Amino acid sequence: MKFFHLIWSNLKRKKLRTSLTLLSIVVAFVLFGFLSSIQQALVGGVAMAGADRLIVRHKVSIIQLLPESYKARMERIPGVTLATHQTWFGGIYQDPKNFFMQNPVVPEEFLAMHPELVLSPEQKEAWLKTRTGAIVGRKTADRFHWKIGDKVPIQSTIWSTAAGNRTWEFDIVGIYDGEKKGTDTTPLFFRYDYFDEARQPGAKGLVGWYTIRVKDPAQAVEVAKLVDQEFENSAAETKTEPEGAFVQAWASQIGNIVLIVAAILGAVFFTILLVTGNTMAQAVRERTGELGVLKAIGFTNGQIVGLVLAESCLLTVLGGILGLGLAWLVISRGDPTSGLLPMFFFPTRDLLIGLGLSAALGLVTGIFPALQAMRLRVADALRRM
Amino acid sequence: MNENQSNNGALVRVENVGKIFHRGSEDIHVLADLHLQVPAGEFLALMGPSGSGKTTLLNLIGGLDRPTKGSVVVAGERIDQLSDRTLAAWRARHVGFVFQLYNLMPVLTAERNVELPLLLTHLSKADRKKHVDAALAMVGLSHRAKHYPRTLSGGEQQRAGIARGIVTDPTLLLCDEPTGDLDRKAGNEILDLLQALNREHGKTIIMVTHDPHASARASRTVYLDKGQLSNEPVK
């Protein structure tokens, strides 16, 4: 700490240059914060997926339907404790831009399968009693200012009623929250019995996919094989995979998000590396004589390396803290897409990674100027004062 | 055993020292078989024409450079054989430097500049402050302690440089043309100060200078020419 004043004073030597470099670092870390949050929003479901849950879908494609009768056969397979189904409804609320997920489900089975969705016992009871009842996640309820008792019309892009009407009405009977911060609370779930009865006759008894719970997650691979064997050579063969892989594949429809984010951040940080590296190299070059004085009065080569590295780390960590803090403040104000993203928050893990990255940036940009300063011969350096 | 005894009566003993610089394929012999002894408490002036090797000799005595041959012993320690790390610690403990162009850190106030050598000690902040205040008082610069070098006159900057040189109470004070960049009045004040440090505080001082007026303040003057020392001025 006794060297802090010296390090800080050196940073203040060229205020404009230091400020501009600091600003570029801040911008880079604000971008890092936003991209981390968007990545979390798009692929965060993978981390939240249940380790004991498998998804069974049609072998050809997710849009091919499976018979409802598969449920009983699945539950007879050794290792399977529960099976329930969902179907993609593909609805919009009032305007095509108001898109979010809505699926018909069997309420009791569905809630038993997804304990991460927190619904009060009264609201659960109301759902079981109300045939047209639906529960909606907190994020979507807030987005559209829905409250319990509201009747909401959803227009399906896929399903028509028997009367040929694509607009379905639901009664909001419950608003659920996520047990954990990263839980997606955008979907709306409504009752399958209402859906199956009301839809056009041709599709009755068909569902989108199954979620099954296995007794022992360690045996998930074996169970998946047994499920697919069960329906082999049938009209609707299945493909069974862990829920995490299913969510990952779903998110990958947009593209390899992790790769896209990594590529953007890589380009940004490479540029920052050059900017900060140049600042530090100039800073050391300009004070060759002063470094000579420090060595003359007894600073060791190690201490000189430490001073230069501390200076570059102070600059990048300060920029990192400001940038990450600014990103956190803006992200905390809420989803800029007004609820289009399933979740929007700055994960603590990424915040810590950002801090580590800022320190690493300081070390990498400072190491070459530091070594250059270390190699200076005192007598030569003093001549350049 | 005191420092003088440990070094056969001399605080500084330079023996058979040669220094060769390499410039491309050319070897430049700056010092050749040079001998010098400086007793403790002496104020020695080192004179000679430009390029005669005065600063090189001062650098060897201060442990800033190493001789090509021979030995440099200061306060009983053969410094030409010390490792870089040990030599740096030795400099911090034993040597104070005063430079022609003051060599103060422009980003630090006078008192922070004076404090720099103390950062290498284990002194507390309060103790460092006491030492800095004492050093600044000794050179008559207490009233300018909070000023940055750019707001100080040349004479004041050199006073701050001297305060930095003596703040650790070093064994030896090495001055390289300390009045070379000052007018006569300021130069005289600096020479008064160095003389007082030598006479009143017993500091051993080796001063490189071109100026006979400055060397006249020293207790002894030696002359360097073509890599050799003599007690007479070069004709």
Side-chain angles (χ1 to χ4, degrees):
Chain A
M1 281 307 285
K2 61 185 174 182
F3 294 107
F4 182 78
H5 186 83
L6 176 61
I7 295 162
W8 182 244
S9 298
N10 276 327
L11 264 186
K12 290 193 301 182
R13 179 184 299 253
K14 301 270 184 186
K15 288 191 178 70
L16 181 64
R17 185 175 67 194
T18 302
S19 302
L20 291 175
T21 308
L22 189 67
L23 193 63
S24 62
I25 298 169
V26 169
V27 170
F29 279 95
V30 168
L31 193 64
F32 172 85
F34 268 92
L35 288 175
S36 297
S37 301
I38 290 170
Q39 178 179 300
Q40 173 70 23
L42 297 177
V43 301
V46 178
M48 299 308 293
D52 61 348
R53 293 196 293 245
L54 300 176
I55 301 291
V56 186
R57 63 170 176 87
H58 196 286
K59 190 176 181 180
V60 175
S61 151
I62 186 77
I63 62 168
Q64 304 289 318
L65 301 174
L66 296 171
E68 189 192 347
S69 58
Y70 276 16
K71 173 181 156 58
R73 288 170 66 183
M74 283 180 196
E75 285 180 337
R76 282 199 295 270
I77 293 169
V80 176
T81 59
L82 182 64
T84 189
H85 56 75
Q86 295 187 46
T87 306
W88 185 253
F89 186 66
I92 54 170
Y93 174 62
Q94 294 179 337
D95 191 289
K97 72 178 184 193
N98 292 338
F99 171 82
F100 60 101
M101 189 169 90
Q102 317 90 20
N103 293 341
V105 299
V106 180
E108 279 190 309
E109 289 172 5
F110 174 77
L111 291 174
M113 183 65 80
H114 295 278
E116 71 272 19
L117 305 183
V118 180
L119 187 69
S120 73
E122 299 77 32
Q123 293 177 8
K124 182 182 172 186
E125 191 63 33
W127 196 20
L128 294 175
K129 282 182 183 165
T130 313
R131 196 168 172 75
T132 54
I135 60 167
V136 64
R138 180 73 59 192
K139 200 156 191 284
T140 296
D142 290 345
R143 180 184 177 193
F144 299 126
H145 309 290
W146 290 346
K147 54 189 185 304
I148 290 170
D150 282 356
K151 198 176 271 295
V152 296
I154 305 284
Q155 193 181 4
S156 176
T157 55
I158 304 169
W159 304 102
S160 305
T161 62
N165 192 354
R166 287 202 172 227
T167 302
W168 298 63
E169 279 200 344
F170 303 105
D171 295 298
I172 301 296
V173 294
I175 296 172
Y176 65 86
D177 290 292
E179 189 187 29
K180 292 178 185 168
K181 195 177 182 183
T183 305
D184 182 5
T185 59
T186 59
L188 176 143
F189 299 104
F190 57 95
R191 285 176 51 160
Y192 173 76
D193 52 357
Y194 166 57
F195 169 70
D196 195 46
E197 186 185 278
R199 65 176 158 174
Q200 286 186 325
K204 282 186 193 297
L206 293 175
V207 297
W209 66 90
Y210 284 89
T211 306
I212 60 174
R213 175 175 289 148
V214 293
K215 196 173 179 181
D216 179 5
Q219 291 183 326
V221 177
E222 288 77 13
V223 173
K225 275 185 194 162
L226 289 174
V227 172
D228 291 341
Q229 278 168 13
E230 172 73 20
F231 303 108
E232 219 167 38
N233 300 319
S234 68
E237 290 189 320
T238 60
K239 181 182 177 185
T240 306
E241 59 193 346
E243 192 178 51
F246 177 77
V247 177
Q248 178 85 63
W250 191 260
S252 297
Q253 291 181 87
I254 306 170
N256 189 336
I257 296 148
V258 176
L259 186 67
I260 292 166
V261 169
I264 296 171
L265 286 178
V268 169
F269 279 100
F270 181 68
T271 310
I272 295 303
L273 198 75
L274 298 182
V275 170
T276 316
N278 183 50
T279 299
M280 285 311 300
Q282 270 187 324
V284 166
R285 229 179 1 252
E286 283 165 2
R287 61 181 116 112
T288 301
E290 291 174 34
L291 291 167
V293 173
L294 291 179
K295 286 188 170 193
I297 63 179
F299 279 70
T300 62
N301 285 335
Q303 284 168 324
I304 294 290
V305 167
L307 283 178
V308 176
L309 282 181
E311 191 177 324
S312 64
C313 285
L314 182 61
L315 180 66
T316 56
V317 170
L318 190 63
I321 289 172
L322 288 175
L324 293 168
L326 196 61
W328 184 81
L329 272 178
V330 177
I331 291 165
S332 303
R333 294 184 64 185
D335 181 357
T337 63
S338 306
L340 201 62
L341 295 169
M343 62 194 87
F344 192 70
F345 66 97
F346 196 171
T348 310
R349 184 204 58 189
D350 290 347
L351 191 69
L352 295 175
I353 288 174
L355 280 177
L357 198 59
S358 68
L361 193 65
L363 289 175
V364 173
T365 54
I367 191 68
F368 292 108
L371 292 175
Q372 188 187 349
M374 187 189 83
R375 289 192 198 109
L376 283 173
R377 290 183 66 246
V378 192
D380 294 339
L382 285 173
R383 277 197 283 272
R384 287 191 249 167
M385 190 74 189
Chain B
M1 187 166 65
N2 66 36
E3 287 164 349
N4 288 358
Q5 288 166 332
S6 68
N7 218 1
N8 293 334
L11 179 68
V12 177
R13 194 163 46 119
V14 176
E15 284 191 341
N16 201 31
V17 156
K19 180 68 183 176
I20 302 170
F21 288 111
H22 305 284
R23 188 181 294 160
S25 57
E26 190 186 2
D27 286 349
I28 302 165
H29 294 258
V30 179
L31 303 175
D33 298 326
L34 189 140
H35 293 267
L36 174 68
Q37 294 204 350
V38 183
E42 185 171 57
F43 184 177
L44 177 76
L46 187 56
M47 292 191 77
S50 292
S52 59
K54 304 184 296 292
T55 299
T56 301
L57 178 57
L58 201 70
N59 287 346
L60 294 179
I61 295 170
L64 299 182
D65 206 349
R66 294 171 195 277
T68 310
K69 67 165 195 158
S71 65
V72 180
V73 182
V74 181
E77 191 138 28
R78 178 138 182 212
I79 63 168
D80 58 288
Q81 291 183 333
L82 297 178
S83 69
D84 283 352
R85 189 185 170 81
T86 316
L87 193 57
W90 178 86
R91 284 196 301 268
R93 208 167 54 246
H94 288 289
V95 189
F97 290 96
V98 178
F99 303 98
Q100 179 181 356
L101 297 174
Y102 332 124
N103 292 16
L104 298 174
M105 303 279 162
V107 292
L108 300 178
T109 59
E111 64 179 1
R112 290 284 192 179
N113 266 289
V114 175
E115 189 191 17
L116 277 175
L118 297 175
L119 296 179
L120 302 172
T121 66
H122 295 296
L123 291 176
S124 67
K125 192 176 177 184
D127 286 341
R128 291 203 300 271
K129 173 109 179 64
K130 276 184 205 162
H131 281 70
V132 168
D133 289 347
L136 284 170
M138 202 177 279
V139 300
L141 205 63
S142 300
H143 62 298
R144 307 285 272 167
K146 306 271 183 214
H147 287 247
Y148 285 90
R150 64 178 179 277
T151 65
L152 299 176
S153 68
E156 286 172 330
Q157 287 189 59
Q158 193 57 294
R159 284 170 183 276
I162 293 171
R164 182 181 63 190
I166 60 172
V167 73
T168 54
D169 191 22
T171 313
L172 191 59
L173 189 61
L174 301 179
C175 310
D176 191 358
E177 306 262 15
T179 59
D181 207 47
L182 299 174
D183 59 33
R184 177 63 70 196
K185 182 172 175 292
N188 276 334
E189 286 171 2
I190 294 302
L191 290 168
D192 288 344
L193 180 59
L194 291 176
Q195 217 164 18
L197 286 170
N198 172 248
R199 289 179 181 169
E200 293 163 28
H201 299 278
K203 284 277 155 240
T204 307
I205 301 174
I206 301 177
M207 174 177 69
V208 163
T209 183
H210 273 107
D211 183 5
H213 179 77
S215 68
R217 302 291 198 99
S219 48
R220 180 164 68 111
T221 301
V222 289
Y223 301 88
L224 187 63
D225 188 38
K226 294 178 183 144
Q228 291 290 323
L229 279 174
S230 72
N231 292 321
E232 298 298 323
V234 182
K235 300 286 183 193

